[in-house]
Every structure is written in C-alpha cells, then in structure tokens.
Amino acid sequence: MMDVADAPTPLELRLTAVPPSVTEAREAVARYAADAGADPADVELAIAEAVANAVLHAFPGEETGTVTLRATLTADALVVQVTDNGTGMRPNPEGGGLGLGLALIGRLTASFSVTEPVNGGTTLRMSFPLDATETTDA
Amino acid sequence: MPDPNPAQLRSETERESVDGAVIATVAFDGDLDLPVVDAFRAAASPEGVGDADGVILDLTGVRFIDSSGIHALVTAWKALGASGRPAKIVIGSESNVERVLEMTGLLEEIGPARDRAAAADAIAGRG
C-alpha cells in the first residue's frame, strides 16, 4: 500500500470540449497512472470514454464548453474526476455512437459515479485500483 | 486551421488480385479515437476504398481504440458489406483492439481474422 506522503502532485487539466481534448486527456492521465501504479491501459480507455462523453453530449448544437480533469491518489486508488460545464445528463438522440461509454467505464473502474452539481454540468468520478506489487517496498 | 488528422492515425490502401478477385487492403497505424474517426470513416468507406471485390481492414497497427473508434469500425464494416464489398477485419492477438471488442461484446459478431491471408481466404470463401 502506497504511502500517501510519497504520492505525486495531483494532475489537473482544463480543456476545451473538442475532440482533440480526448487524446490529450487520455495520454496525460495514462502517464500519471503508470507512474502511480495503476493500469495505464484501463485508465487511458476510461478517460477517453469520459471526455468523449462530455464532448459529444454535454453541449448540444453548436455550443462548446470546458472539461476539467483532476487525478489524485489515495493510499490504494487513483481517483479521477471529469467535470464539464454543460447541460447535464440527458438523452441526446443525435449523439450517435453505440452508447457503450459508461458501460466500458463500469468495467474498467473499481467504482464510478455520475453527479450533477447544483451549479450545472456533470461530474464523473472514477476510481482505479493501484497495483499492490508496484507499491510494495522491496 | 488545425490539422483534423494530426498524424494520430495513418492509413494505406493496397490492391491485389486473389484468384481473379480484386482485394483492397486498408491498413491503419496509430490510435483510433474521437478526433480521427472522420478520417477513418473516409478511408474505410466504400467511396474511399473504391472498386474492389473484397476489402480487408487491417487494424494490427492500431495501438489504441475507444468506443467511438469501435462505432466507426463496425459502421464501416457493415457499409462495405452492404455496398457489395465483403469486408474482413484483421486484428492482433491479445491487442487492445481485441480487448475492447471483447469488452463491448462485438468480437464474436465481427469475427476478425488473425492475418491478411486468413482474411483473404475468408472473403474468397475458403476460410
């Protein structure tokens, strides 16, 4: 189990809700995850799904907005919050896709939650386990 | 204007004659996620592929794929078939693409081939 005192600085990103931000976000958080001892492949895919969800569904029509990410470490988990300032969780028949994003996130995370803050937008909070063998001192 | 396909996904199309049939192989290299799905669709579309009796979509060079990439892949595969160009998808064993297809429940439906030779055989009805 990792000593929280040795945890790296939290990662914070503030991105425009456009498709290239999906790539920027997943690569940055995957690197952070690898350093922290979480599975970078699982994290990378989950972050891609989360940010793509915001890009595709949070801002209907021609609007766009902001997606912020914050990755932090607890003693045994990597926790990533993805927050957008969009319209909140609602069906978007024009969004396209197969509707697989949240299902994949459910399979890739130890736990996740979706909330709508009172000031609007959506927050997706995901928890990924840390590899105990990576964090055990020799 | 920013490049809509900033070298994250490259594609190359080859044609060969197999038992008198023209097989077009579109090979992809890089990451297949939301920013590049339009470029993928263009390369894998019936119009992008052109005249062919069969199509191989080779994803062995794809390192990363998410659900937007999976959606584009499945849509292209079905569109090619509907256009009279039966298509076979090639993926690497134990690759990320295989993993995500399995997680989304689409691996069995797509029935990918392990290499281009097996894909060509399948298109020709020999596989």
Side-chain angles (χ1 to χ4, degrees), chain B residues 6-125:
Chain B
Q8 291 171 356
L9 184 73
R10 291 159 296 279
S11 67
E12 186 174 320
T13 302
E14 302 173 354
R15 284 172 207 287
E16 62 177 336
S17 178
V18 179
D19 295 342
V22 175
I23 303 293
T25 298
V26 189
F28 295 93
D29 181 73
D31 293 356
L32 180 46
D33 63 352
L34 185 61
V36 299
V37 290
D38 286 345
F40 175 86
R41 288 192 185 106
S45 67
E47 297 75 22
V49 169
D51 290 336
D53 299 300
V55 178
I56 296 172
L57 298 177
D58 187 346
L59 271 66
T60 53
V62 174
R63 182 203 69 87
F64 175 88
I65 192 168
D66 62 6
S67 65
S68 61
I70 293 290
H71 180 229
L73 174 64
V74 172
T75 302
W77 173 62
K78 291 182 175 180
L80 287 168
S83 73
R85 301 168 178 81
K88 198 69 176 173
I89 295 169
V90 177
I91 63 175
S93 176
E94 299 182 6
S95 62
N96 266 336
V97 177
E98 180 182 62
R99 178 179 182 235
V100 180
L101 283 171
E102 190 278 328
M103 291 172 65
T104 54
L106 293 168
L107 186 63
E108 188 173 337
E109 176 181 350
I110 288 181
R114 289 302 176 202
D115 55 48
R116 294 186 185 185
D121 284 345
I123 292 171

Side-chain angles (χ1 to χ4, degrees), chain A residues 81-94:
Chain A
Q81 277 196 179
V82 179
T83 300
D84 67 67
N85 60 345
T87 57
M89 295 282 288
R90 63 197 60 193
N92 180 8
E94 297 177 10

Side-chain angles (χ1 to χ4, degrees), chain A residues 67-83:
Chain A
V67 181
T68 59
L69 290 89
R70 180 176 170 82
T72 56
L73 294 176
T74 68
D76 57 2
L78 166 66
V79 179
V80 184
Q81 277 196 179
V82 179
T83 300

Side-chain angles (χ1 to χ4, degrees), chain A residues 5-82:
Chain A
D6 296 329
T9 304
L11 173 68
E12 297 191 356
L13 297 172
R14 183 178 174 88
L15 303 168
T16 306
V18 292
S21 293
V22 172
T23 306
E24 181 177 350
R26 65 173 171 83
E27 290 181 342
V29 184
R31 287 191 294 268
Y32 187 86
D35 290 344
D39 186 331
D42 284 359
V43 172
E44 184 172 24
L45 180 54
I47 298 309
E49 298 299 333
V51 178
N53 245 4
V55 170
L56 291 173
H57 302 297
F59 308 96
E62 296 301 316
E63 299 178 34
T64 191
T66 301
V67 181
T68 59
L69 290 89
R70 180 176 170 82
T72 56
L73 294 176
T74 68
D76 57 2
L78 166 66
V79 179
V80 184
Q81 277 196 179
V82 179

